[in-house]
Amino acid sequence: MRHLVLAALLAATSLSTATAADLLIHGGPIHTGVETAPSAQAVLIRDSHILFVGDLAAARAKAAKDVRDFDLKGAAAFPGFVDAHAHLTGIGLRELTLNLDQVGSVEALIKAVAAHAAANPDGPIYGRGWIETHWPEKRFPSRADLDRAAPGRVIVLERSDGHASVASSAALAKAGVTKDTAAPAGGQILKGADGQPTGMLIDYAQSLVAGVIPPPSETLKRQALEKAGALYASRGWTGLGNMSVEAPDLALMTALAAEKKFHIRVDNYMDPSGAAEVLAKGPFQDATGLIRTQGIKLYMDGALGSRGAALLEPYSDAEGLGLQLTERDKGLALMKSARAVKAQVAMHAIGDRGNRMVLDWFGETLGSDTTARWRIEHAQIVADPDLPRFNAMGVIASMQPSHAIGDLYFAPARLGKARLHEGYRWNDMLKSGAIVAAGSDAPVEVGDPRIEFYAAVHRHSLTGFANEDWHLEEAVSRTQALKMLTLAPAYAAFADKERGTLEAGKKADVTVFSKDLMTVAPAEILTAEPMLTVVDGVVVFERGK
């Protein structure tokens, strides 16, 4: 609080004399995110920092003669929106490969694969983005479906959440997967009544077909990262928490930023396979300051939709308690290595048992230290006794509002009404005093800040549907949602003193939408257009240019 008050006082004074070209933003609502001074008439930017926030006349007096004047014309400015949890390479690859996020049925999936196969007659087929929860067939796709779409072709299609894939008969045969194949630890091979694999592989069972699809080339990954960065800037994101990053992808990002071909901020959490550097020396950043590496990303369990989330009690619609994806000894060893160099740990946990285990492991590793800012990614189903542990332990809940408005169509079946209140409990988290950093988990979800804001404050589907199972009391206020998407992600990456609010002295990261998200009707949030994205004082997106 002390630094917020100090910064608010600085907002009434300039930090230096006007000697360079500046950017002056004014002419519409400006929401600073600062509790003591939540609105302003103008923001004046010089170089990479905010010079002044406050009265327009005072801002003009401090601006350089050749200031660039950006009139909002009624549009609204905010601190830079940050996606606290996403997968950058996957976002780009989704745009460059077979994208299935719009298919609405098994039949639509078959048609999409058939069309792609006809256009690409040679080689294996990889796609991602399907999710069956709204499909009229009410089932997973199968190898029979893929065989019908493209007979004899090697096909692997990843579910949107990355926790399951469906493989064709040719793909299973090439991988040597038969009715006698044992599932690896932390995975499931779904089988039909005849005992034969259906083609559905859950969590670590996906590794069985990993070798049948050539990995993306360095050239394709470079294109994917560049495209993802530009796409995110065009949506109004100024940065993201990048999860499960491989070492070669970090090197590509760093090179792109050095070449001025990548312009948003990235806080990386490395996959253990590529975590040697951060576990050896702790957090570090590149020469531009845009690409930071904060720690490691681990997995405790799977996803709720594919019944891989680890639950304390059995699923209501199937047998089983879900999956544990990281062995205790391995997880604790990685956590202890991270703590030794002050690297962060971000661990995926969806089920209530998964979240309890992560909290237990964090507590065992950190002891009484509440300053490490370790994170639980998703924190989706949290039992009542575990809710206050987040704040008490200083653990950040990294949550994705859009997950709720998609999952709540099927979550009642998975969990049953008695424990449904444990799900997607953003408001309960905030009331408990925990920090909630919001994100999208793209490419699992679209990766759109408007959708995340809308879901957080309205907790209805994109078409306006909700019922009592959706627990609307867990929606948050617009002020809280703004913080969840700006200051909280900065805090979650140890960057809250540099960014997350519009204050003099902070980095100049600004997001502008055509409508004021703080006042328009909920449905209108989704129609607001990104107008301007500023990162480090540089305009990285401007609508119409």
Side-chain angles (χ1 to χ4, degrees), residues 87-99 126 128 215-217 220-225 227-228 249 443:
H87 304 270
L88 194 64
T89 303
I91 293 166
L93 288 174
R94 179 176 63 181
E95 303 301 315
L96 298 174
T97 57
L98 175 57
N99 185 355
Y126 167 78
R128 177 171 179 165
S217 66
L220 181 59
K221 280 195 170 185
R222 182 182 172 92
Q223 292 172 347
L225 287 165
K227 186 171 187 68
D249 294 5

Side-chain angles (χ1 to χ4, degrees), residues 463-538:
T463 59
F465 173 80
N467 61 29
E468 63 179 9
D469 289 339
W470 288 46
H471 285 273
L472 299 185
E473 70 275 8
E474 289 297 338
V476 302
S477 73
R478 301 199 189 203
T479 298
Q480 289 171 324
L482 180 62
K483 185 175 181 179
M484 287 164 58
L485 287 159
T486 55
L487 183 59
Y491 180 90
F494 281 97
D496 50 306
K497 292 185 178 180
E498 297 179 356
R499 46 189 164 97
T501 56
L502 299 180
E503 300 179 74
K506 280 196 170 183
K507 290 286 189 177
D509 293 357
V510 184
T511 299
V512 174
F513 290 108
S514 61
K515 298 179 181 181
D516 189 353
L517 306 188
M518 306 298 281
T519 59
V520 297
E524 287 192 56
I525 293 170
L526 299 172
T527 64
E529 294 286 351
M531 301 300 293
L532 184 76
T533 308
V534 180
V535 180
D536 220 29
V538 177

Side-chain angles (χ1 to χ4, degrees), residues 39-178:
S39 63
Q41 291 184 340
V43 174
L44 179 62
I45 294 169
R46 175 163 300 156
D47 299 324
S48 62
H49 287 75
I50 296 171
L51 181 68
F52 176 84
V53 180
D55 179 75
L56 177 57
R60 288 196 187 282
K62 300 175 189 301
K65 292 181 179 179
D66 55 350
V67 62
R68 183 190 170 188
D69 190 283
F70 188 89
D71 188 344
L72 293 167
K73 297 179 180 178
F78 303 88
F81 275 56
V82 175
D83 189 338
H85 179 118
H87 304 270
L88 194 64
T89 303
I91 293 166
L93 288 174
R94 179 176 63 181
E95 303 301 315
L96 298 174
T97 57
L98 175 57
N99 185 355
L100 300 169
D101 66 358
Q102 296 301 310
V103 299
S105 65
V106 170
E107 287 301 313
L109 179 76
I110 291 170
K111 289 180 181 178
V113 174
H116 183 85
N120 301 271
D122 299 317
I125 296 172
Y126 167 78
R128 177 171 179 165
W130 63 269
I131 187 164
E132 81 296 339
T133 51
H134 301 319
W135 291 356
E137 296 90 351
K138 303 296 182 184
R139 66 172 175 86
F140 286 128
S142 69
R143 63 186 174 97
D145 298 320
L146 304 193
D147 296 347
R148 179 178 148 206
R153 294 290 291 273
V154 171
I155 307 170
V156 177
L157 306 179
E158 196 173 354
R159 196 172 186 264
S160 67
D161 59 12
H163 287 274
S165 292
V166 60
S168 66
S169 294
L172 293 175
K174 186 174 182 179
V177 177
T178 70

Side-chain angles (χ1 to χ4, degrees), residues 309-329:
L311 300 182
L312 293 167
E313 300 292 337
Y315 280 84
S316 295
D317 60 353
E319 295 182 359
L321 295 169
L323 301 171
Q324 179 180 334
L325 301 185
T326 299
E327 295 178 358
R328 172 183 166 82
D329 290 347

Side-chain angles (χ1 to χ4, degrees), residues 325-361:
L325 301 185
T326 299
E327 295 178 358
R328 172 183 166 82
D329 290 347
K330 181 179 179 180
L332 288 174
L334 286 166
M335 289 179 185
K336 289 174 182 176
S337 294
R339 188 188 183 198
V341 293
K342 297 185 178 181
Q344 287 180 275
V345 174
M347 193 163 195
H348 165 118
I350 288 184
D352 49 10
R353 179 165 60 96
N355 276 281
R356 179 169 294 177
M357 292 173 70
V358 176
L359 289 167
D360 289 347
W361 292 9

